Amino acid sequence: MHIDTEALQDSLQRIRSAPQETDLTKAMGRIIAAVNALFDYDGAGVMFVDDAGALRYVASSDEIGRLLEEAQLAAGQGPCVDTYLHNRVVSSKDVHSDARWQELPRHLDRRIQAVAGAPIRLGGGPVGTLNVYRSTAQEWDTSDTEALMAYTALVGEILATAVAARDHSVLAGQLQYALDYRVVIERAIGFLMGRDGLDAGEAFQRLRTEARSQRRRVADLAAELLGDPTTPPSPPAAAPGGAR
Amino acid sequence: MPVDGWAVDLAEAAGRLSRTLENAAVISGTDGAALMLLDEHADLRAVGASSGVGMELEVLQQSNRAGPAFDCLVTGAPVAVDELSERAPVGAVLSLPVRAYGRMAGALNLYRHAPTHWRPDHIAAGQRLADVVAVFLETLARPAHRNASHADGGAEGDNGPSAG
């Protein structure tokens, strides 16, 4: 490691002396805005998992990027959903003719053709995805995916630092919650896989659907499934002014 | 630790910065990334690099009080050097201003071992990367809201940052 920690500390001290009024949500806007200039794609978006265990739209570089996120949320499937579930890069040359997501084209804008998703990780597991698209059908090569992975790793460092700083944005609260209850959710997924012969994606979907129909959080239901009587407390940021 | 209230301790901050510079090199398609930052006395100092030659490049600039990172700070604009002298530790460097909270904080230096023609799109992409590095530094410099937060009803467990 080639870092002069003393110089680092002095310079951080100087940065800290300036007025600070940023939070993670604003930072995410800057992070996503950079993607278009950094990579030669047509647009990008980010989604993060919320306390209900569902991916949620957070930011995009353009309107079409937003449509990509929303189409996947509406269809409940797509490359970015798989990216999150399998914790790895998932790409498609043309999402309109990809047999893996047959429901997706009905929801999807024609200007989105080639799509790639990379997991954004925190504490070793996925908490969201960075998604990029091209408006022409095109294969993705390894230099594309390596650069995307490096970018999401950089984003992960920013997220982890913000969470450690107790950033008071809703996003940071959701991420802290995801970190705190990842283990219990993963164990419940494993339990359902074993009990009902499901794969990980199906088990996660089952857990989410069940939680939604009971109007409960995934972590609560997961704890109950595992026979844990203690239910997790509310995510901190869900009650910013005590209004809940 | 003389300073408390940081989000992460200094060793962890150094690790995160080191990984960030390695990732910056991959993202930019260069051989390495190095960071020089202004300290509290407004001196530009070598803070870190993704490889040994990058650190060398910075220490040289710091002791000469001159070089692309210094020019970058003076002009507030990117400085692209396609071919450095043979004595330099790297072949080409692109220095990009890093602004934290809107104020000049230092320069991100992307380098290649061989001479390189830095095209306008390289420079534009490098600048956006420097902006994201600035977001990272701003986050790193933030105080942890440990005492300041009026944690309602103990919703926050004391399971926060651990340096492990």
Side-chain angles (χ1 to χ4, degrees):
Chain A
M1 194 163 76
H2 309 275
I3 304 289
D4 180 336
T5 49
E6 200 184 308
L8 174 61
Q9 182 163 23
D10 288 351
S11 54
L12 290 179
Q13 196 69 51
R14 179 177 178 275
I15 292 170
R16 179 186 261 204
S17 67
Q20 301 153 28
E21 47 186 64
T22 186
D23 73 11
L24 192 52
T25 311
K26 285 183 199 147
M28 203 46 65
R30 289 160 72 189
I31 288 166
I32 197 71
V35 175
N36 284 6
L38 278 173
F39 306 105
D40 192 19
Y41 307 137
D42 292 307
V46 282
M47 294 198 286
F48 285 102
V49 68
D50 66 12
D51 59 292
L55 281 177
R56 280 241 295 257
Y57 166 81
V58 172
S60 61
S61 65
D62 62 334
E63 187 50 32
I64 303 175
R66 186 188 179 94
L67 296 175
L68 168 62
E69 313 287 25
E70 285 176 350
Q72 296 187 80
L73 296 179
Q77 58 173 228
C80 314
V81 174
D82 284 4
T83 295
Y84 174 72
L85 283 177
H86 303 299
N87 189 17
R88 60 174 167 80
V89 171
V90 174
S91 64
S92 175
K93 179 186 167 185
D94 180 6
V95 278
H96 291 274
S97 60
D98 199 310
R100 288 174 289 182
W101 313 293
Q102 298 185 355
E103 186 67 17
L104 186 60
R106 292 206 302 122
H107 302 269
L108 200 60
D109 193 288
R110 288 302 307 186
R111 288 169 291 186
I112 299 165
Q113 298 268 329
V115 175
I120 299 173
R121 296 180 181 131
L122 190 59
V127 290
T129 65
L130 170 71
N131 320 302
V132 295
Y133 75 87
R134 287 176 169 138
S135 47
T136 52
Q138 215 171 325
E139 290 290 356
W140 300 86
D141 60 38
T142 49
S143 71
D144 287 316
T145 52
E146 276 169 14
L148 276 179
M149 286 299 288
Y151 196 66
T152 54
L154 203 173
V155 174
E157 297 291 352
I158 294 173
L159 295 179
T161 311
V163 167
R166 306 281 174 100
D167 184 283
H168 26 53
S169 65
V170 171
L171 177 56
Q174 285 174 5
L175 294 175
Q176 182 67 59
Y177 189 82
L179 269 182
D180 291 347
Y181 299 108
R182 170 181 295 144
V183 173
V184 71
I185 292 170
E186 280 174 0
R187 280 178 52 215
I189 288 173
F191 172 79
L192 285 177
M193 287 167 72
R195 190 188 72 180
D196 301 342
L198 305 172
D199 69 27
E202 290 164 343
F204 184 60
Q205 198 66 36
R206 166 93 50 100
L207 203 57
R208 277 178 47 191
T209 311
E210 191 71 9
R212 198 182 307 147
S213 73
Q214 297 182 22
R215 294 170 178 274
R216 298 168 68 193
R217 293 190 313 253
V218 169
D220 294 326
L221 190 64
E224 187 182 274
L225 267 177
L226 297 167
D228 183 349
T230 59
T231 49
S234 304
R244 186 184 163 88
Chain B
M1 180 90 17
V3 181
D4 57 11
W6 295 94
V8 296
D9 71 23
L10 196 53
E12 191 175 343
R16 290 185 194 277
L17 177 61
S18 179
R19 291 193 292 273
T20 291
L21 292 173
E22 286 164 20
N23 286 320
V26 176
I27 295 163
S28 61
T30 54
D31 294 319
L35 189 65
M36 293 190 80
L37 292 174
L38 293 166
D39 66 13
E40 287 188 280
H41 310 289
D43 285 330
L44 193 55
R45 288 167 67 182
V47 169
S50 62
S51 72
V53 288
M55 205 60 188
E56 232 178 285
L57 172 72
E58 306 217 310
V59 170
L60 268 172
Q61 294 190 64
Q62 185 179 319
S63 52
N64 294 337
R65 298 185 150 276
F70 281 83
D71 295 349
C72 178
L73 235 72
V74 171
T75 61
V79 173
V81 184
D82 289 357
E83 188 165 359
L84 285 160
S85 86
E86 278 179 17
R87 283 168 299 148
V90 300
V93 65
L94 178 57
S95 282
L96 305 142
V98 175
R99 287 186 185 82
Y101 299 117
R103 190 167 72 146
M104 190 63 86
L108 175 70
N109 304 293
L110 303 173
Y111 51 88
R112 288 223 175 106
H113 300 309
T116 299
H117 173 57
W118 302 104
R119 295 191 316 259
D121 59 318
H122 286 140
I123 297 171
Q127 186 58 64
R128 296 317 288 262
L129 187 55
D131 295 344
V132 178
V133 169
V135 173
F136 170 66
L137 292 171
E138 287 173 11
T139 316
L140 213 50
R142 277 163 58 174
H145 292 286
R146 243 159 270 173
N147 308 322
S149 79
H150 305 283
D152 321 300
E156 281 182 311
D158 202 8
N159 50 1
S162 64

